[in-house]
Amino acid sequence: MSSIVSQIGDLAEAGERMIERLRRKAFLPDSRKSLSVRIGIADAARLLGCSTNRIRMAEEDGRLPSPPASDTGRRLGYTLEDMLHMRQILGASPQRSPEDVPAIIAVQNFKGGVGKSTVTTHLAHYFAMQGYRVLVVDCDSQATTTTLFGFNPQFNVTRDDTLYAYLSIDPTQTDLSYAIKKTPWPNVDLIPSNLELFDIEYELAAGGSDGQSVLAARFHKLKQGLAALACDYDVVLLDPPPALGTISLAVMQAANALLVPLAATTPDFCSTIQFLSMTDQVLRQLEGVGITLDYSFVRLICSKFDSNDPSHTMIRAIMEQTFGPALLPVPILESAEISHAALRMMTIYELARPIGSTKTHKRCRANLDESLGQIEQLVRQHWGRVTPAREEDVLQTHV
């Protein structure tokens, strides 16, 4: 083995050991990620779209249990399990009806560094906070999303835990149910990934060299497998590789909606244009062989936007002129709070308390709720529904 190869291998091993150390430090005491978020009654009422008085009345008449109290008698707030139970009791569940088609959203861009996995994970947790049933499918062999959910791709995930066992040339599984992992979020499941998933790219490329029949079959197979799983969920989020490969193409065919995150920089803007052009060419070729796509929506979302940076403001204006209504109006703001949470392998929605200032945390959380809420609205519009009005707002309009 050459010295260069050995050196790169040593660097990789050192990095893997450090990731495991960070993971163990973040997830003490048992090295397993847990969810410690408690939701106060005011925030619970906002999420449920009702008044705090309605919640208290339900607790008083025994329909809902009261949250536990601290030694000083202060209410500790509700867990996410409590919130899901409250939604059922109070009739505040946003879940789709059996007639509604589950949203299967590919979060895709071939440009790295746009926050694709961060957007995917935050979006999953946002939907979970709103009461939806969510499945996240990590289709990227870099496995960033898997890591953010508390799994170490090197030590906790085998190749047979990933899509590989289902999509490989010689599959060992006939459906995708084997790959579903529970996460700390009671209404979010994960199909994880690791580096070995990349083997599919080699296998399918080799198999597809003979008339493309193997490729076409695998494209259809992933769509079929995800459609079968989706019946148990409201939203399925797909995180494909940041490259135009066979897995990315299979994901784009399996999805019924497309979300493209891009940062407000010139390189990201130019790269996204190339992504859209390349995707257009490839999809036209796929349609020529009978592989078609049908999306309920295609939207771009500006991620990592710094409103104090004039260059970001200029590039965002160019995006608006270029993409028009396809660009979601509320960008995801650059925030130290997101970076601090990521260092702990968490999202903003998992933080029990602010890492930085309370003001920064509240601003970041409010922005994420508004920005990601745009995608929720698109999903609900496709179901022929809008987000239910808050009880207090309805009462005020009749006063």
Side-chain angles (χ1 to χ4, degrees), residues 52 67 82-83 192 216 267 292 300 358 388:
T52 56
D82 295 334
M83 291 293 298
T292 59
L300 297 94
T358 301

Side-chain angles (χ1 to χ4, degrees), residues 37-57:
V37 173
R38 290 277 181 173
I39 301 167
I41 191 168
D43 287 333
R46 177 180 59 81
L47 287 168
L48 295 173
C50 69
S51 64
T52 56
N53 186 52
R54 187 180 180 196
I55 296 175
R56 293 187 188 278
M57 288 177 62

Side-chain angles (χ1 to χ4, degrees), residues 39 43-49 80 83-84 87-88 92-96 122-134 185 187-188 234-235 349 365-366 368-370 372-377 380 383 387-388 390:
I39 301 167
D43 287 333
R46 177 180 59 81
L47 287 168
L48 295 173
L80 195 58
M83 291 293 298
L84 294 174
R87 287 184 182 279
Q88 295 298 324
S93 174
Q95 295 179 5
R96 63 181 178 84
H122 275 88
L123 188 56
H125 293 170
Y126 169 82
F127 274 117
M129 291 292 291
Q130 308 308 312
Y132 297 91
R133 300 163 298 172
V134 184
W185 293 74
N187 53 340
V188 180
D234 303 302
V235 179
Y349 295 105
R365 174 66 181 268
L368 284 170
D369 285 347
E370 185 180 11
L372 302 179
Q374 300 170 118
I375 302 159
E376 179 191 7
Q377 285 292 86
R380 294 187 67 83
W383 292 342
T387 299
R390 284 171 43 85

Side-chain angles (χ1 to χ4, degrees), residues 377-394:
Q377 285 292 86
L378 291 170
V379 170
R380 294 187 67 83
Q381 286 171 15
H382 185 59
W383 292 342
R385 286 182 278 165
V386 295
T387 299
R390 284 171 43 85
E391 180 179 281
E392 292 171 339
D393 295 338
V394 173

